[in-house]
mmCIF file of all heavy atoms in Angstrom:
data_model
loop_
_atom_site.group_PDB
_atom_site.id
_atom_site.type_symbol
_atom_site.label_atom_id
_atom_site.label_comp_id
_atom_site.label_asym_id
_atom_site.label_seq_id
_atom_site.Cartn_x
_atom_site.Cartn_y
_atom_site.Cartn_z
ATOM 1 N N ARG A 408 -4.938 45.141 20.284
ATOM 2 C CA ARG A 408 -5.673 46.383 20.097
ATOM 3 C C ARG A 408 -5.169 47.220 18.929
ATOM 4 O O ARG A 408 -5.943 47.954 18.308
ATOM 5 C CB ARG A 408 -5.655 47.185 21.415
ATOM 6 C CG ARG A 408 -4.506 48.156 21.563
ATOM 7 C CD ARG A 408 -4.174 48.525 22.965
ATOM 8 N NE ARG A 408 -2.907 47.872 23.265
ATOM 9 C CZ ARG A 408 -1.744 48.296 22.766
ATOM 10 N NH1 ARG A 408 -1.676 49.361 22.014
ATOM 11 N NH2 ARG A 408 -0.629 47.643 23.038
ATOM 12 N N ALA A 409 -3.877 47.128 18.580
ATOM 13 C CA ALA A 409 -3.346 48.001 17.530
ATOM 14 C C ALA A 409 -3.918 47.623 16.163
ATOM 15 O O ALA A 409 -3.937 46.449 15.808
ATOM 16 C CB ALA A 409 -1.823 47.900 17.487
ATOM 17 N N PRO A 410 -4.421 48.606 15.412
ATOM 18 C CA PRO A 410 -4.865 48.305 14.049
ATOM 19 C C PRO A 410 -3.691 47.856 13.185
ATOM 20 O O PRO A 410 -2.570 48.344 13.357
ATOM 21 C CB PRO A 410 -5.432 49.634 13.542
ATOM 22 C CG PRO A 410 -4.945 50.689 14.471
ATOM 23 C CD PRO A 410 -4.597 50.015 15.768
ATOM 24 N N ILE A 411 -3.955 46.919 12.290
ATOM 25 C CA ILE A 411 -2.926 46.475 11.340
ATOM 26 C C ILE A 411 -3.304 47.004 9.965
ATOM 27 O O ILE A 411 -4.419 46.783 9.496
ATOM 28 C CB ILE A 411 -2.840 44.941 11.269
ATOM 29 C CG1 ILE A 411 -2.436 44.371 12.639
ATOM 30 C CG2 ILE A 411 -1.840 44.504 10.188
ATOM 31 C CD1 ILE A 411 -2.416 42.846 12.698
ATOM 32 N N VAL A 412 -2.362 47.699 9.324
ATOM 33 C CA VAL A 412 -2.598 48.114 7.943
ATOM 34 C C VAL A 412 -1.813 47.190 7.017
ATOM 35 O O VAL A 412 -0.595 47.126 7.068
ATOM 36 C CB VAL A 412 -2.261 49.610 7.701
ATOM 37 C CG1 VAL A 412 -3.315 50.477 8.365
ATOM 38 C CG2 VAL A 412 -0.876 50.013 8.193
ATOM 39 N N ASP A 413 -2.564 46.444 6.211
ATOM 40 C CA ASP A 413 -1.960 45.566 5.203
ATOM 41 C C ASP A 413 -1.891 46.395 3.924
ATOM 42 O O ASP A 413 -2.907 46.685 3.307
ATOM 43 C CB ASP A 413 -2.844 44.332 5.031
ATOM 44 C CG ASP A 413 -2.393 43.435 3.880
ATOM 45 O OD1 ASP A 413 -1.332 43.696 3.276
ATOM 46 O OD2 ASP A 413 -3.128 42.468 3.578
ATOM 47 N N THR A 414 -0.674 46.791 3.557
ATOM 48 C CA THR A 414 -0.505 47.785 2.499
ATOM 49 C C THR A 414 -0.014 47.149 1.201
ATOM 50 O O THR A 414 1.068 46.595 1.149
ATOM 51 C CB THR A 414 0.517 48.851 2.944
ATOM 52 O OG1 THR A 414 1.789 48.228 3.158
ATOM 53 C CG2 THR A 414 0.076 49.523 4.240
ATOM 54 N N TRP A 415 -0.805 47.254 0.164
ATOM 55 C CA TRP A 415 -0.386 46.750 -1.152
ATOM 56 C C TRP A 415 0.178 47.894 -1.984
ATOM 57 O O TRP A 415 -0.443 48.957 -2.092
ATOM 58 C CB TRP A 415 -1.559 46.114 -1.917
ATOM 59 C CG TRP A 415 -1.126 45.651 -3.281
ATOM 60 C CD1 TRP A 415 -0.640 44.423 -3.604
ATOM 61 C CD2 TRP A 415 -1.094 46.424 -4.492
ATOM 62 N NE1 TRP A 415 -0.300 44.392 -4.945
ATOM 63 C CE2 TRP A 415 -0.569 45.596 -5.508
ATOM 64 C CE3 TRP A 415 -1.443 47.738 -4.823
ATOM 65 C CZ2 TRP A 415 -0.391 46.038 -6.832
ATOM 66 C CZ3 TRP A 415 -1.266 48.181 -6.133
ATOM 67 C CH2 TRP A 415 -0.752 47.322 -7.122
ATOM 68 N N TRP A 416 1.328 47.681 -2.545
ATOM 69 C CA TRP A 416 1.907 48.620 -3.510
ATOM 70 C C TRP A 416 3.092 47.957 -4.163
ATOM 71 O O TRP A 416 3.334 46.766 -3.941
ATOM 72 C CB TRP A 416 2.258 49.958 -2.843
ATOM 73 C CG TRP A 416 3.218 49.910 -1.682
ATOM 74 C CD1 TRP A 416 3.004 49.326 -0.471
ATOM 75 C CD2 TRP A 416 4.531 50.478 -1.634
ATOM 76 N NE1 TRP A 416 4.101 49.505 0.340
ATOM 77 C CE2 TRP A 416 5.055 50.209 -0.351
ATOM 78 C CE3 TRP A 416 5.305 51.203 -2.532
ATOM 79 C CZ2 TRP A 416 6.330 50.623 0.038
ATOM 80 C CZ3 TRP A 416 6.559 51.625 -2.137
ATOM 81 C CH2 TRP A 416 7.060 51.337 -0.870
ATOM 82 N N GLN A 417 3.827 48.690 -4.982
ATOM 83 C CA GLN A 417 4.940 48.114 -5.749
ATOM 84 C C GLN A 417 6.041 49.150 -5.915
ATOM 85 O O GLN A 417 5.788 50.350 -5.757
ATOM 86 C CB GLN A 417 4.486 47.743 -7.169
ATOM 87 C CG GLN A 417 3.236 46.937 -7.253
ATOM 88 C CD GLN A 417 2.823 46.701 -8.701
ATOM 89 O OE1 GLN A 417 2.473 47.617 -9.430
ATOM 90 N NE2 GLN A 417 2.866 45.440 -9.120
ATOM 91 N N THR A 418 7.218 48.684 -6.306
ATOM 92 C CA THR A 418 8.301 49.604 -6.671
ATOM 93 C C THR A 418 7.755 50.648 -7.663
ATOM 94 O O THR A 418 8.044 51.840 -7.561
ATOM 95 C CB THR A 418 9.450 48.815 -7.344
ATOM 96 O OG1 THR A 418 9.837 47.759 -6.473
ATOM 97 C CG2 THR A 418 10.638 49.711 -7.635
ATOM 98 N N GLU A 419 6.960 50.181 -8.589
ATOM 99 C CA GLU A 419 6.437 51.046 -9.645
ATOM 100 C C GLU A 419 5.454 52.088 -9.126
ATOM 101 O O GLU A 419 5.356 53.190 -9.678
ATOM 102 C CB GLU A 419 5.708 50.208 -10.698
ATOM 103 C CG GLU A 419 6.603 49.325 -11.544
ATOM 104 C CD GLU A 419 6.853 47.951 -10.923
ATOM 105 O OE1 GLU A 419 6.668 47.798 -9.690
ATOM 106 O OE2 GLU A 419 7.236 47.043 -11.676
ATOM 107 N N THR A 420 4.668 51.739 -8.112
ATOM 108 C CA THR A 420 3.636 52.695 -7.659
ATOM 109 C C THR A 420 4.232 53.764 -6.753
ATOM 110 O O THR A 420 3.566 54.755 -6.465
ATOM 111 C CB THR A 420 2.466 51.996 -6.928
ATOM 112 O OG1 THR A 420 2.936 51.499 -5.667
ATOM 113 C CG2 THR A 420 1.871 50.860 -7.756
ATOM 114 N N GLY A 421 5.456 53.572 -6.277
ATOM 115 C CA GLY A 421 6.149 54.581 -5.478
ATOM 116 C C GLY A 421 5.746 54.597 -4.016
ATOM 117 O O GLY A 421 6.579 54.806 -3.144
#
Side-chain angles (χ1 to χ4, degrees):
R408 91 203 108 74
I411 298 176
V412 288
D413 173 6
T414 62
W415 178 90
W416 58 294
Q417 310 176 294
T418 306
E419 290 88 340
T420 70

